[in-house]
Amino acid sequence: MLAGAGAARLFTKQPPVRFADLSMANASTEQSRQRFKQAMQALATGVGDERGPLVEALRDDPSFSEAALQLAFLAGTEAPGSARDLTPWHQAQQRKATLTPRDQSLLDALGPTFSDPPDWREAERRFSRLVEQWPGDAQLWGGLGSIRYLLGSDVGALDAFRAARQLDDACTWGLSKDARRLFLEGHRD
């Protein structure tokens, strides 16, 4: 298994993929692109609303598959409430053929998070394979960190969040209040 930040640094031969670099190839309007950028900045930094701009972008631009994917990503990498909303997952699945290979793989990795109950172990295995395939991708490391955090692996989560931060210096996404405290304190399991 990769060792987080060190693996991201050592195995990446291409420039890092930051949240601001994520594909929006299927956006058909400038307004949709701006909303997507706003959402990705909020996702990376943890400041602002990431869902609202994506919902608006998808409403105004129904073919914007990357907006649907990011909504599914947000829903799939958070602790489920009592009623799991599968709408983002279904919207992204309907648009899957228009996504890049990386984005299709991300959607596949999210699949177990939408099962009932969520299969967090399988999601962790899939995200681990993603970061092996795309080690320079901050979002994939952040997703792995979130899944590990939901599994109760503080050290594994923090290693993945550190890798995301190393790749995208704007990235504090995924560091919940408790994880942020542990990160700042240098806590280890």
Side-chain angles (χ1 to χ4, degrees):
M1 180 172 281
L2 295 175
R9 183 181 61 252
L10 293 175
F11 298 122
T12 298
K13 290 182 170 68
Q14 298 188 357
V17 178
R18 296 172 178 87
F19 282 84
D21 301 328
L22 293 176
S23 173
M24 56 180 145
N26 292 300
S28 62
T29 69
E30 183 57 32
Q31 185 175 18
S32 294
R33 283 187 281 282
Q34 290 305 316
R35 287 179 174 153
F36 186 85
K37 287 178 184 178
Q38 177 186 0
M40 293 304 93
Q41 180 179 0
L43 179 60
T45 63
V47 177
D49 176 21
E50 64 274 343
R51 279 183 180 76
L54 290 170
V55 168
E56 291 172 11
L58 193 56
R59 183 193 66 228
D60 295 343
D61 191 352
S63 65
F64 194 0
S65 55
E66 294 89 356
L69 172 67
Q70 294 305 327
L71 284 167
F73 179 80
L74 290 169
T77 57
E78 65 186 10
S82 56
R84 188 90 162 152
D85 182 9
L86 299 177
T87 304
W89 169 251
H90 291 301
Q91 289 177 330
Q93 282 292 340
Q94 291 169 350
R95 295 162 177 84
K96 184 176 181 179
T98 65
L99 294 170
T100 65
R102 178 265 190 202
D103 286 351
Q104 289 179 7
S105 295
L106 173 56
L107 186 58
D108 290 340
L110 289 168
T113 70
F114 288 96
S115 62
D116 187 22
D119 186 347
W120 300 116
R121 294 266 177 234
E122 178 59 22
E124 180 188 27
R125 281 190 285 280
R126 291 182 185 193
F127 270 89
S128 292
R129 285 193 303 265
L130 282 181
V131 298
E132 287 175 6
Q133 187 171 2
W134 288 285
D137 192 311
Q139 182 182 31
L140 300 180
W141 282 102
L144 178 61
S146 289
I147 300 299
R148 288 179 173 169
Y149 190 75
L150 291 168
L151 283 167
S153 174
D154 291 342
V155 170
L158 293 174
D159 284 346
F161 291 143
R162 284 183 181 117
R165 172 81 174 156
Q166 180 180 353
L167 294 163
D168 185 346
D169 59 3
C171 181
T172 61
W173 171 82
L175 296 177
S176 71
K177 219 190 259 187
D178 289 341
R180 201 174 270 125
R181 178 184 52 78
L182 294 171
F183 180 77
L184 293 172
E185 292 174 0
H187 176 73
R188 305 306 281 177
D189 280 343

